[in-house]
Amino acid sequence: MRLVALVTGSGMNHMKRCFEVRLEKNGSSMTQQNKYAGILFFSVYILLAACGSAQTVAVPEPPQVWARNHVVSLTLDAVNEDGRDAFAFEGETVAPVIRASPGDSLRITYGNHLPPKSAETCAINPCMDMTNLHFHGLTVSPDAPQDDVLTMLAKPGQVLHYSVEIPRDHPPGLFWYHTHPHGESHRQVLDGMSGAIVIEGIERYVPEVSQLRERVMVVRGRSIEHDPNASALMRDVEIPAKGCGGEAEKVEEIFTVNGVIRPQIEIAPKERQFWRIVNASADRYLDLQLDGERFEVVALDGMPLAYRDPKHPTQATEHLLVAPAGRLEAIVIGPPSGAHRTLRTLCVNTGPAGDPNPEMVLADLVPPRPDQFKADSLSRHAHAIDHRPPIFKPIDVEPLKKTPPDFIVTFTEDKNGFYINGRKFSPDASAMTSVRVGTYQHWRIVNATAELHPFHIHQVHFLAYAQNGARLPDPAWLDTVNVPFGGSVDVVLDFTDPVIRGMSVFHCHLLNHEDKGMMAKILFR
């Protein structure tokens, strides 16, 4: 039995902290509100004396849920805490990491305990506090009770029961879940209603990762638009005074890592760790960089590089643009002893009409504490190991690249809303297009606006191979791709898996745009 105090806060310029106490025994935890208050006060006093800033907080590890007898079973609740919507899990407002293997089932009971009348503002007012779940990137059925975002909606007081079947041949990697009620998605995701999903088995493609310290990091945007400490928060994460684009608006968001502003990531000099990072922000880009080091990329958007290209299982890069909803899985190396290194996002020019997306520090890299060795050793073996041989699915897409697009998606916007092919999304609209399951298609995504838009389609991945008509030097299989303002991206979509049959959607993953109309239905037939 041990008492743990978790400290979160905004940085060196703030002494205000939020403390949470857990009594842990036999791997379970429960929140204590009044009991041990004296011990808590003493622990807080010691921590404040030792720390004094957010930069001294180690990056937290979210709770994790594993399968038993090939079933991952959990209960999630949508709650409103201190005016912000959140997921509640086992009495704590911390979204768990869901860990499953190919062939497992997810059984999730999702209760809507949001207030009947919301005090928040939505893209489409009034807020109805409807909610549901989307299992982003998973190749699973779009029909109820699986990844259905069209008809599965819970009003306050209602409960949804999800039963998601993960195919036996599903690629391993990092995915995520978040709410997806049309008109309210942006507000709920910005409030933090998101969590990571790990499909086990990536060591089948890069065996080394099974021996490395794994870190799952959920990067979320946090609104500081109405925060009286906004200026200090911006200084804490070292946002430069000048941006990189023509945007005129002030900075409205900063990033958190697993719910903490600028935490510390412990890594020894020359130590190799396996980082799994999801950009769970509602509307902000990451251009990830590790000062003085490189990312050895293993997977993008939950797709191991080796799955499509067995001869090139990893790829080194100094920085990588990760669109909202995108994921990066990479091996990193600890900096030399005495060197100060940070994980940061570089400034992203989102276009003349885009929102500010400035450079800022996400986390500081520090040497591990003496007591960290045992915890790190245990974490290496905390997940299931898949001993099956890897499955590879290379495909020759060159013939498809030479054909005219099978379908063109055009993003437009005006003062009245956001559109795909001139149409705003309507829940009762018919499918904008349909595809035959078992085929590949060449699509062109056109951005006829003055700001970036990330394109996402549910259920499937695609190869992004050309931008503005020119071949990309490093084509990649993704489920979310950035489309440059005033430009285009060409993709080859994989519609071959029979489990995807049903009605699904594609949309801009700036969720404020999706809420205001930039989404359309697609029928997989």
Side-chain angles (χ1 to χ4, degrees):
M1 186 179 296
R2 61 191 176 95
L3 190 67
V4 181
L6 301 180
V7 187
T8 63
S10 57
M12 190 172 293
N13 298 294
H14 302 282
M15 293 303 294
K16 184 178 179 181
R17 296 291 184 266
C18 171
F19 293 97
E20 177 182 38
V21 179
R22 292 194 185 104
L23 185 66
E24 301 192 6
K25 186 176 182 180
N26 299 328
S28 63
S29 65
M30 61 180 177
T31 301
Q32 307 295 303
Q33 295 178 343
N34 298 314
K35 200 173 181 180
Y36 306 114
I39 301 174
L40 171 60
F41 178 82
F42 180 76
S43 301
V44 168
Y45 178 84
I46 296 298
L47 280 165
L48 281 175
C51 302
S53 71
Q55 285 89 330
T56 59
V57 179
V59 62
E61 293 196 10
Q64 305 196 42
V65 185
W66 291 271
R68 290 186 178 180
N69 299 319
H70 300 290
V71 176
V72 182
S73 181
L74 69 150
T75 297
L76 277 179
D77 292 303
V79 300
N80 188 275
E81 183 179 71
D82 300 324
R84 299 171 68 89
D85 294 342
F87 285 138
F89 172 70
E90 294 188 349
E92 309 285 351
T93 51
V94 180
V97 176
I98 298 172
R99 306 193 75 112
S101 296
D104 286 351
S105 300
L106 307 183
R107 301 285 188 268
I108 301 177
T109 300
Y110 183 47
N112 185 349
H113 299 282
L114 298 174
K117 291 186 178 181
S118 174
E120 297 193 71
T121 301
C122 292
I124 302 175
N125 283 312
C127 295
M128 302 299 292
D129 271 351
M130 304 274 279
T131 193
N132 60 6
L133 296 176
H134 168 47
F135 304 95
H136 187 113
L138 291 183
T139 303
V140 295
S141 171
D143 293 337
Q146 301 198 54
D147 190 24
D148 174 14
V149 300
L150 294 171
T151 67
M152 290 186 73
L153 288 164
K155 298 177 182 178
Q158 295 182 334
V159 177
L160 297 174
H161 298 277
Y162 287 92
S163 181
V164 182
E165 305 299 327
I166 300 170
R168 179 71 174 157
D169 59 352
H170 197 289
L174 179 63
F175 303 86
W176 66 301
Y177 60 97
H178 62 87
T179 58
H180 206 295
H182 180 63
E184 304 189 54
S185 299
H186 179 265
R187 173 180 61 88
Q188 292 183 6
V189 173
L190 182 60
D191 278 355
M193 299 186 76
S194 58
I197 300 173
V198 173
I199 302 299
E200 307 283 17
I202 203 163
E203 67 280 349
R204 295 159 61 197
Y205 297 89
V206 181
E208 179 192 1
V209 302
S210 67
Q211 300 301 315
L212 301 182
R213 170 71 159 93
E214 178 199 84
R215 294 190 183 277
V216 177
M217 291 182 274
V218 181
V219 180
R220 301 180 178 93
R222 170 179 159 178
S223 176
I224 59 171
E225 186 178 5
H226 304 296
D227 194 318
N229 297 317
S231 296
L233 289 168
M234 291 170 60
R235 289 193 298 271
D236 285 344
V237 295
E238 300 183 16
I239 294 179
K242 184 174 175 57
C244 61
E247 66 275 358
E249 296 137 350
K250 64 181 181 179
V251 175
E252 296 178 346
E253 294 181 31
I254 60 172
F255 288 110
T256 65
V257 181
N258 290 351
V260 175
I261 298 170
R262 195 173 176 174
Q264 290 182 340
I265 301 174
E266 296 180 345
I267 183 170
K270 297 184 179 181
E271 178 190 359
R272 292 168 70 81
Q273 293 188 357
F274 182 43
W275 290 7
R276 315 182 91 162
I277 303 173
V278 53
N279 182 357
S281 65
D283 53 6
R284 292 297 187 268
Y285 284 82
L286 293 172
D287 191 351
L288 292 172
Q289 176 181 283
L290 194 58
D291 295 344
E293 306 295 338
R294 307 179 85 187
F295 295 108
E296 188 177 334
V297 180
V298 172
L300 295 172
D301 285 7
M303 183 68 67
L305 302 189
Y307 184 77
R308 296 287 185 173
D309 188 1
K311 294 182 180 179
H312 301 93
T314 63
Q315 180 176 333
T317 185
E318 293 181 354
H319 69 99
L320 187 78
L321 182 67
V322 182
R327 283 90 69 209
L328 167 66
E329 296 173 78
I331 297 169
V332 302
I333 302 175
S337 179
H340 178 250
R341 296 287 190 265
T342 66
L343 173 66
R344 68 177 66 240
T345 177
L346 303 177
C347 187
V348 178
N349 181 359
T350 62
D355 295 319
N357 212 124
E359 177 179 351
M360 70 183 78
V361 175
L362 302 176
D364 295 281
L365 275 61
V366 299
R369 301 186 308 272
D371 63 344
Q372 194 64 21
F373 176 78
K374 183 178 180 180
D376 287 356
S377 179
L378 291 173
S379 72
R380 291 190 182 98
H381 306 286
H383 58 277
I385 300 296
D386 191 334
H387 296 287
R388 295 179 299 157
I391 299 172
F392 299 109
K393 195 177 179 180
I395 174 180
D396 180 12
V397 297
E398 289 305 316
L400 279 168
K401 294 178 182 179
K402 298 174 183 178
T403 64
D406 295 291
F407 187 66
I408 297 177
V409 176
T410 303
F411 289 144
T412 57
E413 61 185 70
D414 59 27
K415 63 181 180 180
N416 297 313
F418 297 82
Y419 312 86
I420 293 180
N421 294 354
R423 290 165 51 181
K424 272 188 178 182
F425 176 78
S426 174
D428 57 1
S430 59
M432 180 175 285
T433 188
S434 66
V435 298
R436 183 170 59 86
V437 173
T439 63
Y440 291 87
Q441 284 197 357
H442 170 201
W443 284 21
R444 179 168 295 149
I445 320 301
V446 178
N447 182 356
T449 77
E451 63 177 319
L452 299 183
H453 293 287
F455 168 83
H456 170 58
I457 183 168
H458 291 203
Q459 288 26 88
V460 304
H461 280 70
F462 49 79
L463 176 68
Y465 71 88
Q467 180 172 296
N468 299 335
R471 295 290 182 99
L472 290 169
D474 297 308
W477 286 90
L478 307 168
D479 61 44
T480 309
V481 66
N482 175 56
V483 188
F485 50 89
S488 65
V489 170
D490 282 73
V491 300
V492 173
L493 296 106
D494 181 355
F495 297 118
T496 60
D497 198 313
V499 305
I500 68 173
R501 283 190 175 88
M503 189 71 76
S504 189
V505 295
F506 56 92
H507 58 87
C508 171
H509 218 285
L510 300 181
L511 293 180
N512 190 45
H513 297 178
E514 179 265 303
D515 281 342
K516 293 181 178 179
M518 200 172 269
M519 181 164 74
K521 294 180 184 178
I522 179 171
L523 178 64
F524 303 134
R525 52 181 174 80

